[in-house]
Amino acid sequence: MISIHRDEGGENIARIIDLGDIRIISMDVFLEGVDVPENAEVLEVAGRYRIYVKSEEAPGGRVEAVVYDNGSKRQLINIKYIGKLPDEEALAYLKAFVGRLAKPL
């Protein structure tokens, strides 16, 4: 079953795919000025762009982050949890993970 999680204002913030024991929760982020995650896999596109993918263990599953880099701007574009946590716990974990990637002001 696929559902959309909305915030208090009714804005879509996550897509949730419930496969019974496992949930896939994906959030589009678009956060500029992030650090490239350590040990991320890199995909170079036409020598102009880089896509970094970081996957790591998380409570009850794993988390994946996708960072886009065009040489002048680096942006976290998507984050995903794949695992057994309840929706609200997984969303809280994803938000904390984003906070770890964001550069301090």
Side-chain angles (χ1 to χ4, degrees), residues 1-16 25-27 87-88 91 95:
M1 175 138 167
I2 299 173
S3 62
I4 303 295
H5 183 82
R6 293 178 175 84
D7 65 11
E8 300 81 25
E11 294 293 320
N12 296 345
I13 60 169
R15 291 169 301 286
I16 301 169
I25 301 174
S26 178
M27 298 174 69
D87 297 348
E88 293 303 321
L91 288 166
K95 290 175 185 176

Side-chain angles (χ1 to χ4, degrees), residues 15-64:
R15 291 169 301 286
I16 301 169
I17 300 171
D18 190 341
L19 302 172
D21 289 345
I22 300 290
R23 284 172 196 73
I24 302 168
I25 301 174
S26 178
M27 298 174 69
D28 296 329
V29 182
F30 306 113
L31 176 66
E32 290 188 28
V34 297
D35 287 326
V36 171
E38 256 185 58
N39 303 320
E41 293 181 42
V42 63
L43 169 66
E44 214 167 305
V45 181
R48 298 178 57 198
Y49 309 104
R50 289 189 177 135
I51 305 292
Y52 297 93
V53 179
K54 171 68 175 175
S55 179
E56 67 180 49
E57 296 297 314
R62 72 177 195 266
V63 66
E64 297 177 353

